[in-house]
Amino acid sequence: MINFRIILLAGLLFCCLLSCRQQGSQTRTHDTNVIANSPVVDSLKQWIDSVDRSTTPATRKKVESLYAAAMAGGERAQGYYYYLIGKLQWQPDSNKAAIASFLRMLPPGSIDTTRMTDLYLLQQMALLRLDLKKKIDDSTFARIYQLLDIAARFHYPDIFRVYDLAAEIHFRYGVYDKAKLYTDKATASYPNPDDNYYHSYLMEAQSRIAERQHNYPLALRYEDSALVLALRQPDSLRIATVYSALGVLYEKMGQQAKGHALMIQAFHIKERENKVSFREYVNYGQMFMEEAQYAPAVFYLQKAVDMARTPTNASNLSSAYNTLYTIYYQSGDYKKAVLYLDSASNMALTALEEEQLKKVMELQALNELKEQQHKTLDISRQYNNQTIILRQQRVILLILGILMIAGVSLGLVLIRQRKLKTQQHHMALEQRLLRSQMEPHFIFNTLAVLQSFIRHDEKEKAVKYLNKFARLLRLNLDNSRHNLVQLHQEVEALENYLSLQTIRFGNIFDYAIHPIEGCEEMDILIPPMLMQPFVENAIQHGMRNLAYKGHISVQLQLHNDLLHCVIEDNGHGLAASSSAGKHSLSGIITRERLKILSKETGKLASIVVSDKQEKGEHGVKVTLIIPTQREK
């Protein structure tokens, strides 16, 4: 008993000592983060908002005049100076100089976020904003969530800057609920209630979110609040920005005259400040063109062309040249119209080549799944070996045919039989190759959704989604072992797939599958994974951003050993899909599979895609005709 009491007392004493040590460590950590700023640092910090809002020559001159004091003020003063210089070097086309300045904000070696929290956050936010122009992917969200965690953990006083960047990232990615959440947090954490400039900016951010959600009345109320706040402060560019946004809103609401008047006000303000953008020059020129005032229209379009030439922006030049072509065509100067139409076409081709290059790089990234690469490589090698063998056999048979005139008839029959067998084997290999190409495409999309649920801490959705995905993957793996599967198995896989997608898209659509009555008891065989790609297209391109409940219907009928499958949706239609510039790799593969299947069976195998808008309805209708076989 005595020994037990001694051990218990020693244990309690050890726990108390450990607790005191941890509290002391936490206190020291907090103390190291609260470092009194020198007057030089305070002076430099006061210029952060000014540089963020305006990069006038006067601002640049004042910041550069602080160089000597900053270099003599220590690491923190130097870090803030290089941040300000990097912001002044920020350019729409090239930011090498800005990146170099941001990288000099912190001393080389390990980063002490405890002592340099503010500089580290400013540096990483600046670099992340530069990367937003290139892409937004999983690494982007990982970086912003890390910055949010550090800012909250070390009680960063300017955490509103991190919230603002998080809102911008989610807005650009199309997650508008999250964008509004972080905009609200930026508003609540902003320390200066009298800063009408920033509060006007936040109201405008709320308006942009409401506009993207097609809630124009709410967007207009936010924008009106932004205007009231902007008029209370002296920055004319802030006022012009609000006028321009209001003009766009009124145009979208059908009030063209009011929208044009506001956009003209914004344009004149920016023109006085020499801050007119390329798109604003084009829009202003188009307004004159619509009123048949061709001289001023050409004047402002030429300014847009000059802006797009330095540096060369093929897409912008194509847009400006095409508008100039329209002006000269409408004014009757066909010679100049032809010249600008030719220039617009050349620039459009250049822009298309650049866009195609980006798409090629994206497709290459999709093919970095190692297991699938090995499968595709093995099948490709088998195909090449069969081709070589076929060539060798043809040569040998040809020589034998010449040498053995007496056996010509028999030789031709043998060659024909051999050729047919080789072609059948060749078609089987191509079927397997195409199906192996389709599997990483589907798996990549599904894992991306699961990753998104995990990233947004939606655990229940993630578990439910993972269970359904596991069932679907197991069924697909079983089907992939065979060239033909039972029809009811394919219907079951399609049912699981649609169920997964309704979870992914938050039940923005429902679906109905109408199989052949009693298909579970039939011995009908079809190739696997033929219907799923078109259901995927209906979801990806038809169900997004609908103002009403989406619906997908799958109707199956059997006519003389031909399966007629009709897939319909009530989405945006073909025009919206093509304007978004998206192409379905799985759809292309399915067309190739049907072509091979038709050759192999000698039966009709076809696909017809039609836009229901021609009949005054919403959505797309896909009709598949698939040859079936009976189980022996």
Side-chain angles (χ1 to χ4, degrees):
M1 178 66 71
I2 296 175
N3 291 338
F4 175 76
R5 289 178 178 176
I6 293 173
I7 293 172
L8 179 61
L9 183 62
L12 290 172
L13 181 61
F14 176 77
C15 291
C16 291
L17 291 173
L18 182 61
S19 176
C20 293
R21 182 177 181 182
Q22 288 178 342
Q23 291 178 358
S25 175
Q26 292 174 356
T27 303
R28 287 194 298 274
T29 301
H30 179 73
D31 291 342
T32 55
N33 193 35
V34 182
I35 299 175
N37 290 329
S38 66
V40 178
V41 172
D42 289 335
S43 177
L44 289 164
K45 288 180 68 175
Q46 291 175 2
W47 282 94
I48 291 178
D49 290 330
S50 298
V51 169
D52 283 343
R53 299 172 186 180
S54 174
T55 55
T56 62
T59 304
R60 177 183 291 273
K61 186 175 181 181
K62 178 60 181 177
V63 171
E64 290 176 347
S65 68
L66 298 173
Y67 173 78
M71 294 302 105
E75 291 179 344
R76 292 175 63 78
Q78 293 169 16
Y80 275 104
Y81 176 79
Y82 285 123
Y83 174 78
L84 295 175
I85 291 298
K87 296 292 288 185
L88 291 170
Q89 293 168 333
W90 202 302
Q91 298 293 331
D93 55 310
S94 175
N95 286 291
K96 292 182 179 179
I99 293 173
S101 295
F102 292 142
L103 293 177
R104 297 180 69 182
M105 288 175 60
L106 294 170
S110 60
I111 304 301
D112 185 358
T113 54
T114 304
R115 189 169 61 89
M116 296 279 193
T117 303
D118 49 353
L119 284 178
Y120 176 77
L121 289 172
L122 283 173
Q123 179 198 59
Q124 294 304 310
M125 284 190 290
L127 294 173
L128 186 51
R129 280 194 183 276
L130 289 175
D131 289 342
L132 293 185
K133 298 179 180 180
K134 303 175 184 176
K135 63 178 180 178
I136 297 178
D137 55 14
D138 292 338
S139 64
T140 308
F141 287 99
R143 290 166 67 184
I144 189 60
Y145 291 146
Q146 180 191 30
L147 297 181
L148 285 167
D149 177 67
I150 293 174
R153 190 148 37 93
F154 291 101
H155 306 288
Y156 179 46
D158 291 343
I159 195 172
F160 68 90
R161 302 186 193 278
V162 194
Y163 287 141
D164 185 23
L165 179 56
E168 180 69 18
I169 291 171
H170 285 87
F171 176 82
R172 293 193 185 189
Y173 199 69
V175 186
Y176 301 122
D177 291 339
K178 286 281 189 179
K180 177 170 174 52
L181 171 67
Y182 286 115
T183 303
D184 290 339
K185 287 188 175 184
T187 304
S189 60
Y190 190 61
N192 185 2
D194 298 325
D195 187 350
N196 292 316
Y197 181 101
Y198 191 71
H199 285 290
S200 172
Y201 161 79
L202 290 171
M203 287 296 103
E204 192 173 6
Q206 297 280 21
S207 176
R208 286 193 306 159
I209 296 169
E211 179 188 355
R212 288 295 179 88
Q213 294 175 324
H214 305 292
N215 191 344
Y216 296 125
L218 179 60
L220 187 59
R221 288 198 295 273
Y222 277 125
E223 207 65 63
D224 285 337
S225 299
L227 180 59
V228 171
L229 292 166
L231 292 172
R232 293 177 183 171
Q233 52 86 50
D235 193 298
S236 59
L237 290 177
R238 173 101 290 271
I239 298 171
T241 301
V242 179
Y243 278 147
S244 181
L246 274 170
V248 172
L249 272 176
Y250 277 117
E251 279 196 334
K252 290 186 176 181
M253 296 174 69
Q255 302 181 39
Q256 299 288 339
K258 195 169 184 178
H260 281 190
L262 287 165
M263 292 172 72
I264 289 171
Q265 281 185 272
F267 184 85
H268 287 323
I269 294 172
K270 291 191 175 183
E271 193 174 33
R272 287 196 301 269
E273 299 288 339
N274 196 24
K275 293 291 185 179
V276 183
S277 68
F278 165 83
R279 181 49 54 190
E280 288 167 332
Y281 274 126
V282 172
N283 292 341
Y284 202 60
Q286 286 177 337
M287 282 195 296
F288 281 109
M289 180 185 70
E290 292 170 2
E291 297 171 1
Q293 299 182 38
Y294 299 120
V298 170
F299 174 78
Y300 288 110
L301 261 297
Q302 286 293 351
K303 283 184 173 289
V305 169
D306 293 339
M307 184 174 289
R309 281 177 178 160
T310 310
T312 300
N313 187 313
S315 180
N316 285 350
L317 279 172
S318 175
S319 175
Y321 285 148
N322 195 53
T323 306
L324 282 168
Y325 151 73
T326 305
I327 292 172
Y328 282 114
Y329 182 82
Q330 290 181 359
S331 63
D333 191 343
Y334 301 118
K335 185 176 181 180
K336 286 187 177 180
V338 170
L339 290 175
Y340 279 110
L341 179 61
D342 184 55
S343 298
S345 300
N346 290 336
M347 288 300 103
L349 287 173
T350 302
L352 182 61
E353 289 175 358
E354 294 173 355
E355 185 65 24
Q356 290 297 328
L357 181 60
K358 291 180 182 179
K359 290 180 179 178
V360 169
M361 295 177 68
E362 291 174 1
L363 288 175
Q364 289 176 344
L366 290 175
N367 292 325
E368 289 179 356
L369 296 172
K370 292 185 179 180
E371 279 190 24
Q372 209 58 42
Q373 281 184 332
H374 288 314
K375 289 183 181 179
T376 305
L377 184 59
D378 290 339
I379 296 173
S380 298
R381 285 174 178 170
Q382 292 179 35
Y383 171 79
N384 291 332
N385 291 337
Q386 289 294 331
T387 304
I388 293 171
I389 292 171
L390 178 60
R391 289 175 181 173
Q392 292 174 346
Q393 289 173 343
R394 283 177 176 173
V395 172
I396 293 171
L397 290 173
L398 179 60
I399 295 173
L400 290 175
I402 295 173
L403 296 176
M404 301 174 64
I405 299 174
V408 170
S409 299
L410 180 61
L412 290 174
V413 171
L414 292 174
I415 292 173
R416 181 174 178 80
Q417 290 178 347
R418 187 69 178 181
K419 184 177 180 180
L420 287 174
K421 290 181 181 179
T422 306
Q423 284 180 342
Q424 289 177 353
H425 188 56
H426 167 73
M427 289 179 182
L429 287 175
E430 283 193 348
Q431 287 273 16
R432 292 174 59 196
L433 177 62
L434 293 172
R435 283 164 53 196
S436 71
Q437 290 173 337
M438 190 182 303
E439 290 168 2
H441 178 70
F442 169 72
I443 293 172
F444 180 86
N445 288 342
T446 305
L447 292 179
V449 175
L450 181 61
Q451 193 176 40
S452 176
F453 284 150
I454 296 171
R455 186 175 60 240
H456 293 108
D457 200 26
E458 297 176 337
K459 296 179 181 177
E460 293 183 2
K461 281 188 177 181
V463 172
K464 187 176 180 181
Y465 197 82
L466 183 59
N467 288 336
K468 287 183 175 290
F469 173 58
R471 289 197 297 272
L472 177 60
L473 187 60
R474 185 163 53 250
L475 187 58
N476 282 346
L477 287 174
D478 290 339
N479 290 347
S480 67
R481 298 173 184 173
H482 310 284
N483 292 329
L484 298 171
V485 298
Q486 291 281 355
L487 176 60
H488 70 85
Q489 293 177 335
E490 187 69 5
V491 172
E492 181 184 356
L494 190 61
E495 172 76 22
N496 286 340
Y497 173 78
L498 279 164
S499 178
L500 278 175
Q501 294 293 51
T502 55
I503 296 173
R504 171 190 173 188
F505 288 96
N507 294 312
I508 65 172
F509 70 93
D510 54 24
Y511 65 91
I513 298 179
H514 307 283
I516 301 171
E517 188 173 353
C519 68
E520 295 86 356
E521 301 174 2
M522 297 182 180
D523 57 344
I524 300 174
L525 301 176
I526 64 170
M529 291 287 286
L530 281 177
M531 294 178 282
Q532 181 265 333
F534 298 97
V535 174
E536 179 183 0
N537 286 343
I539 297 170
Q540 294 291 339
H541 306 318
M543 299 293 105
R544 291 181 181 272
N545 300 320
L546 282 181
Y548 49 87
K549 183 77 171 182
H551 179 75
I552 296 174
S553 169
V554 181
Q555 181 79 39
L556 301 178
Q557 292 182 346
L558 189 63
H559 300 290
N560 299 326
D561 290 334
L562 292 177
L563 178 66
H564 290 245
C565 174
V566 179
I567 303 169
E568 293 186 84
D569 66 78
N570 64 342
H572 293 296
L574 290 177
S577 299
S578 60
S579 63
K582 297 179 180 178
H583 301 282
S584 173
L585 177 61
S586 57
I588 295 172
I589 293 174
T590 303
R591 291 176 185 273
E592 294 178 6
R593 293 182 65 195
L594 284 173
K595 185 178 179 181
I596 294 172
L597 187 63
S598 181
K599 289 181 180 180
E600 185 178 10
T601 61
K603 299 178 182 179
L604 175 65
S606 67
I607 172 174
V608 177
V609 181
S610 59
D611 198 332
K612 295 166 66 177
Q613 188 175 7
E614 298 174 358
K615 299 180 180 180
E617 299 176 1
H618 293 289
V620 177
K621 178 179 180 181
V622 179
T623 303
L624 284 168
I625 298 179
I626 306 171
T628 65
Q629 297 184 31
R630 298 286 179 171
E631 191 170 12
K632 297 179 181 179

